């Protein structure tokens, strides 16, 4: 027996989803045109009025929004309704150094929490579960979104927020948490801490984890699943579109279903802005179909991924997105070569190293330096310099074959790289500071 939070919409036919989307987009474009002068201006510059948008096929005519627009319009320029209707704000974690403030009406909060509830149910959650929410609470969307979703499902919610790992473990054990929600890097840290305290994976009652808000690899998923004894589900979202829950994984674990009744997704060529056909790799663009407070149309996420309409065995019909294959602004260009942190993580985990690493890029004498600090697992760690050098050399070779350039590898003692309780800081690019 399959479980859905909102079966009718989650398993609706493609035609039905299109019908809903078409109905909503016409209303939404009119709403934005009438209420958001900033966007009305952008439409007018293209000679567009709401009458030009009759279905989602016309979305491609609309102008894009980017983080630059959000900064320019900060704080109220993209607000879609009277402030008196707003009940909440959230703000980005500032991964890229620029804060964004998003506004929610009560309708928007409900809609967002329902999306998170769909994710929890897809991970096997019911009202009999104990859901430990260890994403940060406060401005960050992670805690608020999953907390609300957990309430909607009827789980007993543990509003832990991130950090204080000993207390996380105590509550997890004493109250019998069955679902853990946090960033994947924090999940890995919790797994490591449990082992250190002498717990085996089967000692906890966890069955599933809902992890997202930052990139993580398949290899990291396997590590977390093993250390916690759970099935680990991915969840995706961004503050601009509401937060986590825009897309979530089902038991297939083959891409995340996008909640298409609320968010219309396109893949574009990041250089030309042209819409690409299904199956192409490109930048993900979202149009929020029914948000009132912060109704962004054609928002460029910078996340690079692929969409697929292939039938899913879970019965959900909504389009699936791959894990972001990188963020176009996360990509480092080192000595002219494109390098994504996720590629580095894949190599490390394949070679038997833990996901505890830091990438440092700098420029010395007009040439890029590229160093990776990696914790050496205790069983490989040796006092003999020559043995450590051999390990470093092997890792350098593996990196070179994946990336096309070879970083300088520094193996450091176990537990010397700072652990993350929220989004991990993996890259220190000193070139940007010059
Ligand atoms: P910031 O841009 O400050 O990090 P957010 O906290 O809203 O703001 O983060 C949104 C971004 O986080 C997304 O655009 C994406 O790059 C990343 N992200 C969110 N969920 C995932 C996920 N499951 N896998 C990979 N990256 C993710
Ligand atoms: Zn599915």
């Amino acid at each position: 027996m399959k479980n859905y939070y909102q079966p009718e919409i989650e398993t609706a036919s493609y035609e039905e989803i299109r019908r809903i989307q078409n109905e909503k987009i016409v209303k939404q474009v009119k709403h934005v045109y009438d209420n958001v002068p900033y966007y009305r201006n952008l439409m007018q510059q293209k000679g567009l009025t709401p009458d030009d948008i009759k279905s989602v096929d016309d979305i491609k005519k609309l102008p894009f929004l980017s983080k630059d627009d959000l900064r320019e319009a900060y704080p109220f320029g993209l607000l879609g309704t009277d402030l008196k209707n707003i009940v909440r704000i959230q703000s980005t974690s500032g991964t890229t150094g620029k804060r964004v403030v998003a506004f929610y009406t009560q309708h928007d909060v409900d809609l967002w929490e329902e999306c998170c509830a769909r994710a929890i149910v897809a991970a096997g959650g019911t009202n009999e579960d104990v859901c430990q929410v260890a994403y940060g609470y406060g401005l960050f969307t992670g805690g608020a979104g999953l907390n609300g979703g957990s309430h909607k499902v009827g789980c007993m919610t543990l509003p832990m927020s991130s950090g204080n790992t000993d207390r996380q473990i105590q509550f997890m054990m004493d109250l019998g948490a069955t679902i853990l929600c946090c960033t994947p890097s924090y999940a890995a840290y919790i797994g490591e801490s449990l082992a250190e305290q002498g717990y085996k994976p089967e000692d906890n009652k966890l069955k599933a984890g809902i992890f997202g808000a930052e990139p993580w690899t398949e290899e990291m998923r396997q590590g977390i699943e093993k250390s916690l004894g759970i099935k680990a589900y991915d969840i995706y979202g961004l503050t601009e579109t509401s937060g986590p829950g825009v897309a979530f994984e089902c038991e297939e674990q083959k891409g995340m279903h996008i909640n298409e009744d609320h968010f219309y997704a396109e893949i574009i060529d990041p250089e030309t802005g042209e819409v690409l056909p299904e199956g192409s790799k490109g930048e993900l663009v979202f149009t929020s179909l029914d948000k009132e407070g912060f109704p962004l149309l054609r928002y460029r996420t910078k996340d690079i991924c692929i969409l697929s309409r292939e039938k899913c065995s879970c019965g959900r019909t909504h389009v699936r997105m791959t894990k972001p294959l990188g963020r176009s602004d996360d990509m480092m260009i080192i000595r002219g070569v494109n390098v994504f942190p996720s590629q580095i993580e894949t190599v490390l985990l394949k070679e038997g190293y833990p996901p505890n690493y830091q990438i440092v890029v700098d420029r010395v004498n007009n040439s890029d330096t590229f160093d990776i600090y990696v914790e050496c697992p205790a069983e490989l760690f040796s006092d003999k310099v020559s043995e450590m050098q051999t390990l470093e050399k092997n890792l350098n070779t593996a990196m070179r074959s994946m990336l096309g350039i070879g970083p300088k590898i520094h193996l450091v003692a176990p537990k010397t790289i700072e652990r993350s309780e929220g989004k991990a800081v993996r890259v220190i690019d000193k070139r940007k500071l010059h």
Side-chain angles (χ1 to χ4, degrees):
M1 158 70 192
K2 301 244 188 269
N3 282 320
Y4 313 103
Y5 181 65
Q6 289 164 314
E8 265 173 40
I9 185 66
E10 291 181 66
T11 62
S13 68
Y14 177 69
E15 292 70 32
E16 175 64 3
I17 293 171
R18 275 290 152 142
R19 195 192 57 74
I20 294 170
Q21 290 180 327
N22 288 339
E23 206 175 286
K24 287 187 177 181
I25 191 65
V26 170
K27 267 174 71 184
Q28 183 72 325
V29 170
K30 186 162 172 12
H31 171 76
V32 171
Y33 193 86
D34 290 345
N35 293 285
V36 187
Y38 187 95
Y39 200 77
R40 179 165 65 234
N41 248 328
L42 293 179
M43 281 179 65
Q44 282 168 345
Q45 280 167 26
K46 289 193 135 209
L48 293 169
T49 69
D51 286 341
D52 293 307
I53 311 301
K54 300 203 163 57
S55 74
V56 284
D57 291 332
D58 294 326
I59 286 184
K60 58 178 178 297
K61 297 181 189 165
L62 290 169
F64 291 115
L65 284 173
S66 69
K67 230 174 198 155
D68 287 340
D69 293 296
L70 266 58
R71 228 175 304 136
E72 203 179 315
Y74 176 90
F76 298 124
L78 289 160
L79 193 65
T81 181
D82 252 19
L83 268 184
K84 70 170 194 286
N85 300 321
I86 300 297
V87 298
R88 166 100 65 83
I89 66 142
Q90 303 285 163
S91 179
T92 59
S93 54
T95 307
T96 50
K98 305 137 202 158
R99 278 202 175 274
V100 166
V101 174
F103 302 86
Y104 304 70
T105 62
Q106 186 57 49
H107 159 270
D108 297 340
V109 172
D110 283 335
L111 173 166
W112 174 28
E113 292 179 354
E114 276 168 19
C115 288
C116 291
R118 289 180 192 174
I120 293 171
V121 172
T126 69
N127 61 4
E128 292 184 17
D129 279 293
V130 178
C131 184
Q132 177 162 1
V133 183
Y135 283 107
Y137 279 59
L139 286 173
F140 179 50
T141 54
L146 270 309
N147 185 84
S150 172
H151 277 232
K152 288 236 187 301
V153 176
C155 304
M156 180 165 94
T157 310
L158 313 185
M160 304 297 298
S161 194
S162 59
N164 204 334
T165 307
D166 284 345
R167 191 177 61 192
Q168 300 275 1
I169 289 176
Q170 191 195 338
F171 276 63
M172 176 185 288
M173 291 302 176
D174 293 352
L175 299 175
T178 54
I179 299 177
L180 175 65
C181 308
C182 59
T183 58
S185 55
Y186 195 37
Y189 179 28
I190 292 176
E192 186 180 55
S193 306
L194 276 168
E196 260 166 32
Q197 295 188 15
Y199 291 110
K200 290 194 219 50
E202 58 273 21
D203 293 337
N204 69 63
K205 288 207 172 134
L206 291 174
K207 61 178 187 190
I210 303 177
F211 307 127
E214 66 180 359
W216 52 313
T217 53
E218 267 318 307
E219 292 79 7
M220 186 152 169
R221 170 174 4 228
Q222 286 158 21
I224 294 171
E225 289 190 330
K226 219 164 119 197
S227 74
L228 292 173
I230 59 168
K231 188 155 171 169
Y233 295 80
D234 204 353
I235 185 167
Y236 169 90
L238 56 164
T239 312
E240 294 87 329
T241 53
S242 55
V246 170
F248 61 91
E249 250 178 2
C250 62
E251 72 262 16
E252 270 292 301
Q253 296 183 313
K254 282 204 191 108
M256 294 176 271
H257 291 283
I258 295 176
N259 284 310
E260 283 191 279
D261 50 329
H262 299 303
F263 305 102
Y264 181 80
E266 298 169 279
I267 293 288
I268 62 159
D269 177 329
E271 304 294 329
T272 63
E274 182 202 349
V275 180
L276 301 176
E278 191 199 318
S280 317
K281 180 168 148 187
E283 182 178 344
L284 187 57
V285 173
F286 279 116
T287 292
S288 114
L289 293 169
D290 45 14
K291 272 175 57 190
E292 301 169 340
F294 205 53
L296 301 188
L297 305 182
R298 292 201 100 192
Y299 181 69
R300 293 184 61 157
T301 63
K302 301 251 188 206
D303 292 321
I304 304 292
C305 75
I306 301 169
L307 298 184
S308 161
R309 287 217 167 262
E310 212 177 294
K311 196 163 183 278
C312 187
S313 66
C314 78
R316 287 178 186 77
T317 44
H318 294 203
V319 70
R320 274 177 291 170
M321 60 178 274
T322 58
K323 271 176 183 301
L325 306 165
R327 189 142 127 159
S328 56
D329 54 2
D330 227 24
M331 186 184 79
M332 301 171 281
I333 302 182
I334 306 173
R335 290 176 222 142
V337 178
N338 298 351
V339 176
F340 286 100
S342 58
Q343 297 173 303
I344 291 170
E345 188 172 306
T346 297
V347 175
L348 288 177
L349 291 157
K350 271 204 183 121
E351 298 293 316
Y353 290 87
N356 302 317
Y357 62 96
Q358 206 145 45
I359 304 160
V360 181
V361 188
D362 203 348
R363 184 159 291 160
V364 181
N365 297 331
N366 294 320
S367 161
D368 291 335
T369 60
F370 178 20
D371 295 77
I372 305 179
Y373 294 81
V374 188
E375 275 182 14
C376 187
E379 62 276 17
L380 293 180
F381 201 73
S382 157
D383 290 340
K384 287 208 189 106
V385 175
S386 63
E387 283 182 17
M388 295 302 277
Q389 278 173 342
T390 307
L391 291 175
E392 288 175 346
K393 199 163 153 267
N394 292 344
L395 201 47
N396 172 287
T397 309
M399 288 287 173
R400 187 181 292 276
S401 78
M402 166 71 112
L403 306 172
I405 55 169
K408 185 158 175 36
I409 304 285
H410 307 261
L411 288 178
V412 299
K415 315 248 174 292
T416 47
I417 290 181
E418 201 188 336
R419 296 294 187 271
S420 146
E421 296 170 345
K423 294 199 189 205
V425 179
R426 306 285 199 202
V427 181
I428 301 173
D429 192 341
K430 298 184 177 168
R431 295 173 303 180
K432 288 183 188 145
L433 304 176
H434 292 168

